[in-house]
Amino acid sequence: MGLIIAYILFLLNLLSIIPTMYPLYIWKLVTTGSVRRLGDRLLLKVGEAWIENNYRISRMLYGVQFEVVGDAYKDLKQDGRYMIICNHQSWSDIYIIQSVLNRKIPLIRFFIKDSLKYVPILGHAWLALDFPFVKRSSREQLKKNPELATKDLENVKKVCEKFAGMPFSILNFLEGHRRTPERVQKLLKKNPYQHLLRPHSGGISVVSTALKNSIDAFIDLTIVYPTENPSFLHLMQGKIRKLKVFVDVIPVSQVPIEENEQFAPMSKKMKRWVDERWALKDTLIEKEKQTK
């Protein structure tokens, strides 16, 4: 019964943005200059309210609490420019990250497959809020035509141009996939981590290089769930009520961003940095597991 109530409330919250989102989106499409920027700001307020209401639903139904650990958390700025990296275990990760950082930093955006722009309501909301849509070639397409890889990278760079010179927060899940038992077993021999999957540094390197003159800091989040193999369904059922989110804010001067766009996809120094961060995450999660 609780799951049904949660589903209805989340759905009603999503539907509640329609009366404000669509008129503001049309306003944005037909205006320019300062008038359009006002529409953008109002749309951001709609997005932030939607995120806040989602969190309120979880607290009301189940008393969900996210414990945030990290001294730098209080110094985050809503007009800052941030790259966010995080471990990825469940679809609930995005919900948790948005809830923890909502109204602490600019509205969090993440790269979305181009085909998802046609999803009812959510797809339109992502478009209205300037989420970056990208077309990615499949592995089979890249095998047939390797030049598509270059085209994909150019597409990512072009998408990044809209964020230069404005407050932004871009989220990257470097593992590329959720950490499911099946995937862990499949990658067992190739994975050096106990609680994580091996991260990929190419995407974050390309985006960082494209925005190297605009980034204030990197936010490294580590989500530690109280149970193994969490799911968004578990969260909606109230089976996950407390968890920890460790926040580490790293000044951009301490991140080895590749200067040359040509070398960014295969940057060795960025790969070493990412691997070091993941080793720290793995140790942190293990320590938390041992203390329970």
Side-chain angles (χ1 to χ4, degrees):
M1 185 65 182
L3 176 61
I4 296 175
I5 294 174
Y7 177 80
I8 292 173
L9 290 176
F10 280 123
L11 180 59
L12 289 175
N13 186 36
L14 179 61
L15 294 175
S16 71
I17 69 174
I18 292 178
T20 51
M21 181 192 71
Y22 281 103
L24 286 173
Y25 185 31
I26 294 171
W27 177 358
K28 175 178 175 176
L29 291 176
V30 301
T31 58
T32 59
S34 60
V35 178
R36 174 170 178 163
R37 287 193 292 272
L38 174 59
D40 282 331
R41 289 195 294 271
L42 293 174
L43 278 166
L44 290 175
K45 296 295 183 184
V46 172
E48 290 169 349
W50 176 70
I51 292 169
E52 176 64 23
N53 287 335
N54 279 334
Y55 186 36
R56 285 176 178 172
I57 291 169
S58 297
R59 283 186 297 177
M60 179 184 69
L61 289 178
Y62 307 118
V64 170
Q65 295 178 357
F66 302 145
E67 180 182 351
V68 180
V69 182
D71 294 336
Y73 175 69
K74 65 180 182 299
D75 297 325
L76 294 173
K77 299 177 181 179
Q78 200 165 4
D79 61 350
R81 299 172 297 179
Y82 301 108
M83 297 293 296
I84 306 170
I85 58 176
C86 185
N87 56 318
H88 193 21
Q89 300 172 81
S90 165
W91 289 119
S92 58
D93 295 341
I94 293 177
Y95 167 78
I96 292 163
I97 294 168
Q98 288 179 327
S99 298
V100 166
L101 296 178
N102 189 38
R103 293 178 174 145
K104 298 286 185 183
I105 62 176
L107 185 79
I108 298 171
R109 297 175 175 93
F110 43 87
F111 288 93
I112 302 175
K113 292 181 180 179
D114 188 73
S115 58
L116 293 180
K117 67 174 63 172
Y118 303 107
V119 174
I121 306 178
L122 272 178
H124 299 151
W126 290 329
L127 281 169
L129 292 167
D130 288 325
F131 273 65
F133 287 88
V134 293
K135 294 181 180 179
R136 292 192 180 98
S137 302
S138 66
R139 185 174 299 179
E140 291 73 21
Q141 291 173 323
L142 290 173
K143 285 182 179 179
K144 294 180 180 179
N145 186 2
E147 293 182 359
L148 287 175
T150 302
K151 186 176 180 180
D152 290 345
L153 290 175
E154 289 299 325
N155 184 28
V156 171
K157 293 175 187 176
K158 186 176 181 180
V159 167
C160 289
E161 290 176 0
K162 70 169 65 176
F163 296 112
M166 61 178 283
F168 64 80
S169 302
I170 300 178
L171 170 64
N172 286 266
F173 288 119
L174 304 190
E175 291 160 305
H177 302 280
R178 288 171 292 124
R179 186 181 181 275
T180 61
E182 296 78 15
R183 193 163 282 119
V184 169
Q185 188 62 35
K186 181 180 179 181
L187 303 174
L188 189 61
K189 294 181 180 179
K190 299 180 180 180
N191 186 22
Y193 307 106
Q194 185 174 355
H195 303 286
L196 305 166
L197 296 179
R198 177 174 287 177
H200 304 284
S201 60
I204 188 71
S205 183
V206 170
V207 176
S208 300
T209 298
L211 292 170
K212 60 181 179 291
N213 296 321
S214 301
I215 303 171
D216 293 330
F218 280 62
I219 301 175
D220 185 359
L221 301 178
T222 305
I223 301 175
V224 183
Y225 286 90
T227 60
E228 293 294 328
N229 309 319
S231 69
F232 187 66
L233 182 61
H234 290 153
L235 189 68
M236 291 186 67
Q237 290 175 322
K239 294 181 179 179
I240 300 174
R241 302 197 178 192
K242 291 185 178 180
L243 54 81
K244 284 187 177 181
V245 181
F246 291 84
V247 180
D248 192 6
V249 180
I250 307 154
V252 68
S253 60
Q254 297 179 18
V255 182
I257 296 176
E258 186 65 58
E259 291 293 324
N260 192 321
E261 290 188 356
Q262 182 180 352
F263 301 140
M266 303 297 292
S267 174
K268 292 182 179 180
K269 59 183 181 181
M270 180 60 88
K271 183 181 186 307
R272 284 193 296 269
W273 182 79
V274 167
D275 288 343
E276 289 169 1
R277 298 305 308 179
W278 248 243
L280 291 172
K281 283 178 181 290
D282 205 45
T283 301
L284 174 60
I285 296 173
E286 176 61 21
K287 182 179 178 181
E288 284 295 307
K289 298 288 186 182
Q290 293 296 331
T291 57
K292 291 180 180 179

